[in-house]
Amino acid sequence: MSSYKSIALTLLSGWALFMTQAIVAAGGTEKTDQGQLRLQVVFNNVPHKAGLETGWGFSCLIEGLDKTVLFDTGGNGDILLSNMQRLGLDAEAVDAVVLSHIHGDHTGGLGAFLARNPDVTVYMPESFPASFQREVMRLGAAIKIVSGPRQLLNRIYSSGEMNHGVKEQALIVDTPRGLVVITGCAHPNVADMAERAQAYLSKNIYLLAGGFHLGGRSDAEIHAIIERLKTLGVRKVAPSHCTG
């Protein structure tokens, strides 16, 4: 087994560790001024919790701050809502939805979710088509367009839309231990997105999680990403979805 594959297996197993020890996966927690910050993966093609249905895509629920936020909606609304129900999560308690990029495996569940809870604000990159924006408003949600880095809600930020092929934004949560950066697919390069987040808020990254878009990359390319993340001082990583 090559060294990068050994590293990848270690990192993927970290999802299970975060469930009980840190602050991400299905049930990780961290103390904040508001109480317990909890990130739960509610849609994923990588199995990580018994009883949940998998599907191609990614979605993560962020609780414990002033507002409850759903980051991406996976590729299928029925699976998304079913997994939330199985985890004891109330879709109607979500205050905002943040979409990383336009691909269907990250936006496909939005329609079904809005049918259940239209009383949300949807934050989407500026590049999203006008037709998509109109449909979201037709379903009853408010929309806010994101171009550059900006604060979305209390302690929740966007990296801003980044453009190296597919345009995408990362979600950033400011925690007492450092930044938690969540990517949908990291099409613009996961290290570039981490660097943008760190530079924007001038804080170290405690955890980088989500899709890293490294499937099919060479050993050399993956080692280069790992070294950049080390240089940036990223303390923990939890790659999933399209990482490879």
Side-chain angles (χ1 to χ4, degrees):
M1 178 180 291
S2 67
S3 58
Y4 93 82
K5 288 181 179 177
S6 298
I7 293 169
L9 287 173
T10 300
L11 299 184
L12 285 170
S13 69
W15 281 97
L17 295 177
F18 285 125
M19 291 178 197
T20 56
Q21 294 181 354
I23 54 178
V24 77
T29 62
E30 163 143 335
K31 290 183 179 179
T32 69
D33 294 340
Q34 290 77 22
Q36 293 288 330
L37 173 65
R38 182 168 68 167
L39 279 66
Q40 296 205 77
V41 174
V42 292
F43 193 108
N44 201 352
N45 46 281
V46 179
H48 64 278
K49 187 174 179 66
L52 300 185
E53 187 174 353
T54 58
W56 185 258
F58 185 77
S59 179
C60 179
L61 188 72
I62 300 141
E63 301 174 287
L65 301 178
D66 291 344
K67 303 292 184 182
T68 298
V69 176
L70 184 67
F71 177 69
D72 283 345
T73 62
N76 182 293
D78 291 338
I79 294 176
L80 173 70
L81 294 172
S82 174
N83 284 345
M84 291 182 71
Q85 183 178 18
R86 292 177 185 181
L87 289 167
L89 303 172
D90 183 4
E92 296 181 10
V94 174
D95 300 293
V97 176
V98 179
L99 300 176
S100 62
H101 63 295
I102 190 61
H103 286 171
D105 55 331
H106 296 262
T107 63
L110 183 62
F113 176 84
L114 293 180
R116 181 74 58 85
N117 177 14
D119 189 23
V120 296
T121 299
V122 179
Y123 295 85
M124 64 183 71
E126 185 177 33
S127 59
F128 273 44
S131 59
F132 188 99
Q133 298 177 32
R134 288 193 298 269
E135 179 63 12
V136 170
M137 290 188 289
R138 186 190 70 79
L139 292 170
I143 66 169
K144 289 192 177 181
I145 303 301
V146 179
S147 52
R150 58 168 286 188
Q151 184 170 10
L152 306 181
L153 298 160
N154 182 34
R155 300 183 64 173
I156 297 179
Y157 301 81
S158 167
S159 66
E161 187 177 62
M162 298 180 67
N163 180 18
H164 299 300
V166 177
K167 297 180 180 180
E168 184 175 344
Q169 64 174 332
L171 184 144
I172 309 165
V173 185
D174 187 7
T175 84
R177 294 188 186 182
L179 303 179
V180 173
V181 180
I182 310 172
T183 61
C185 273
H187 288 281
N189 184 295
V190 66
D192 288 348
M193 298 184 87
E195 185 173 14
R196 164 77 71 87
Q198 187 178 68
Y200 172 47
L201 292 172
S202 300
K203 292 187 177 183
N204 290 330
I205 296 174
Y206 176 73
L207 172 69
L208 177 64
F212 290 6
H213 209 255
L214 297 175
R217 297 293 185 93
S218 68
D219 286 22
E221 289 174 309
I222 292 173
H223 277 297
I225 291 289
I226 291 170
E227 290 306 315
R228 281 193 65 193
L229 296 180
K230 287 182 178 180
T231 299
L232 289 170
V234 176
R235 289 184 59 191
K236 297 178 183 290
V237 293
S240 194
H241 176 43
C242 63
T243 300

